[in-house]
Amino acid sequence: MTKVLIVTQAPSGGVGRHISNLIDGLNNQFDFFVLYNPEFADESFKSWLRKHKNITRITTPYLVREISPNMDIKAINFIYKKIREIKPDVVHLHSSKAGAVGRIAAKLAHVKRIIYTPHAYSFLSKEFSTIKSKIFVFIERILSRYFTTETINVSKSEKRAALDKKIDKDKKFVVVPNAIPTKKHEDVENQRQRLKIIDTDTFVVGNIARVAEQKNPELFVEVAKIVKKKDPSIAFFWVGYKEKRLNDYKFEDGVVNFVGEMIHTDELVAAFDLFFCTSIFEGMSYSLLEAADAGVPVLLSDVEGNNDFADIYTSAKLFNLNDEPESIAEKIIIQKNKHISRTGQITFSYNAVASRILCK
């Protein structure tokens, strides 16, 4: 059986969901090994792993988010040794850090097929300085041209960003959008009860994401403050764990309910009347796809990944990150007053995404 080694620094959020979907779709066709740092795994991924006893787990503390020459060299050495032990036919790297150290290790070990899925390139993030972003672009160019067989982009805009930065030739990139199977959402009241929403007249605005710089929680809170002053009946919820780097950030109490990490968020999203996404860049968010599956209207930032989603979902509206918070707040209030029903639809169907990634 073909051996596939999947390497990720943080199997959480959309990355964890992508990996679990990939393996679930092909579990009987491949022998899977998953190498990751358990410190960054969320509860959803841990729960999924517990149910899959046939997947070989390999953990390491060396895969860290920050650039660290000492830890990164240790990570390369660790992954290299595991590749020599396992002898995988395919090594599939997820996100920037694992993509960097993992591709180097795989190339040194002479792996024939090295696949990379960025899940939104680091150089797209506005949290980094211009100089740092240029360094990330340079690193991606070297790794793509000399250490990568194929890059799987989860959105068209992600691929366009790579081509605009001249990361590599067009033929090295393939767009395989994230996708989810449809399901029925008939228990809206039960999902609202999970969020302790009692008043049936409450208009719920929510987001499901890590509390991280990329997701832009500051703007979410700022807009929420403006909205609640004008209409206190609108409630704001953010579901997702807070990254340790933001532990010192003081979110204003009573404005947004930061409820932390919860399971079965694909069902929980039905509790929202409006999904509000403030990200500064995205790949193709699973939370957005889940909101669309539930028919929930979506208001989202006009950035890479999000604008691809807006093209395929009929109840999506974009705003510019440069818009005044008052203007964004007004869009939310208008959405509530219009009483827009849950009739949104995705214009493409879930198909064999996993097969396209590994079966070639």
Side-chain angles (χ1 to χ4, degrees):
M1 187 178 290
T2 300
K3 294 181 180 179
V4 179
L5 172 62
I6 291 177
V7 183
T8 180
Q9 174 254 324
S12 58
V15 176
R17 179 73 182 275
H18 181 99
I19 292 170
S20 61
N21 278 5
L22 176 66
I23 293 176
D24 283 342
L26 298 171
N27 208 5
N28 296 323
Q29 302 177 48
F30 296 88
D31 188 7
F32 282 104
F33 301 76
V34 179
L35 192 158
Y36 65 102
N37 186 337
E39 179 184 351
F40 300 100
D42 63 15
E43 188 53 42
S44 293
F45 188 79
K46 292 176 184 176
S47 175
W48 173 81
L49 264 182
R50 286 193 289 268
K51 298 175 183 176
H52 292 71
K53 305 297 184 183
N54 61 326
I55 297 172
T56 303
R57 304 157 182 77
I58 305 167
T59 61
T60 176
Y62 303 136
L63 276 170
V64 295
R65 183 179 187 273
E66 296 76 16
I67 295 175
S68 169
N70 179 46
M71 296 293 277
D72 294 345
I73 290 172
K74 288 181 178 179
I76 292 170
N77 186 50
F78 181 86
I79 297 169
Y80 172 82
K81 288 181 177 179
K82 291 301 176 182
I83 290 174
R84 299 290 289 179
E85 290 176 15
I86 298 167
K87 296 180 174 58
D89 301 283
V90 180
V91 173
H92 189 182
L93 300 314
H94 293 265
S95 295
S96 300
K97 173 49 73 78
V101 298
R103 280 184 284 179
I104 293 172
K107 189 69 174 180
L108 290 173
H110 305 292
V111 176
K112 290 184 178 180
R113 190 165 180 219
I114 304 171
I115 304 173
Y116 173 49
T117 301
H119 298 283
Y121 290 102
S122 292
F123 60 75
L124 294 173
S125 176
K126 295 177 176 60
E127 69 180 276
F128 300 121
S129 65
T130 302
I131 293 175
K132 207 166 187 178
S133 293
K134 287 182 178 179
I135 292 172
F136 289 152
V137 168
F138 176 74
I139 292 172
E140 288 286 0
R141 282 176 186 161
I142 297 300
L143 291 173
S144 181
R145 295 175 188 186
Y146 303 106
F147 296 81
T148 311
T149 307
E150 183 178 54
T151 293
I152 304 291
N153 295 120
V154 297
S155 68
K156 291 179 181 178
S157 59
E158 187 181 65
K159 177 181 176 179
R160 283 196 300 270
L163 295 178
D164 288 345
K165 296 295 184 181
K166 298 180 173 56
I167 300 300
D168 209 334
K169 297 177 181 178
D170 184 280
K171 65 181 181 180
K172 290 287 283 289
F173 302 94
V174 177
V175 177
V176 183
N178 289 336
I180 60 172
T182 59
K183 62 185 301 179
K184 293 182 178 180
H185 295 271
E186 299 174 340
D187 60 344
V188 174
E189 283 191 21
N190 289 335
Q191 298 307 322
R192 288 169 74 94
Q193 288 175 9
R194 289 178 64 192
L195 293 174
K196 297 180 173 59
I197 300 168
I198 301 173
D199 190 345
T200 57
D201 292 329
T202 300
F203 186 85
V204 181
V205 179
N207 189 13
I208 299 175
R210 292 172 294 116
V211 183
E213 287 98 333
Q214 176 197 344
K215 307 300 182 179
N216 204 358
E218 292 89 345
L219 178 59
F220 192 94
V221 172
E222 190 174 1
V223 171
K225 287 167 63 177
I226 296 169
V227 170
K228 288 186 73 67
K229 284 181 179 178
K230 297 182 177 181
D231 189 341
S233 71
I234 300 178
F236 287 80
F237 287 82
W238 187 302
V239 180
Y241 74 94
K242 184 193 293 184
E243 290 194 345
K244 291 183 178 179
R245 293 173 298 137
L246 291 187
N247 279 344
D248 294 331
Y249 183 85
K250 303 300 181 185
F251 296 104
E252 187 167 338
D253 293 335
V255 176
V256 176
N257 297 288
F258 286 92
V259 298
E261 187 178 354
M262 297 181 71
I263 61 174
H264 304 305
T265 54
D266 56 332
E267 299 171 3
L268 184 68
V269 71
F272 301 162
D273 295 295
L274 176 68
F275 194 103
F276 180 36
C277 173
T278 51
S279 297
I280 55 177
F281 70 100
E282 280 290 349
M284 175 63 79
S285 166
Y286 277 102
S287 293
L288 290 175
L289 292 170
E290 288 162 356
D293 185 50
V296 176
V298 174
L299 178 64
L300 69 169
S301 50
D302 189 0
V303 297
E304 289 85 358
N306 280 357
N307 43 37
D308 291 87
F309 173 79
D311 286 341
I312 63 171
Y313 184 47
T314 57
S315 287
K317 293 187 181 299
L318 294 165
F319 66 87
N320 195 298
L321 284 175
N322 293 323
D323 290 345
E324 291 294 329
E326 290 81 2
S327 172
I328 303 171
E330 189 60 31
K331 287 179 170 64
I332 293 175
I333 294 171
I334 290 173
Q335 189 82 13
K336 179 207 171 186
N337 294 336
K338 281 186 175 179
H339 303 287
I340 296 175
S341 61
R342 302 184 180 214
T343 56
Q345 294 182 334
I346 285 283
T347 57
F348 74 88
S349 300
Y350 177 78
N351 51 27
V353 170
S355 295
R356 174 57 193 88
I357 294 174
L358 293 179
C359 301
K360 186 178 179 183

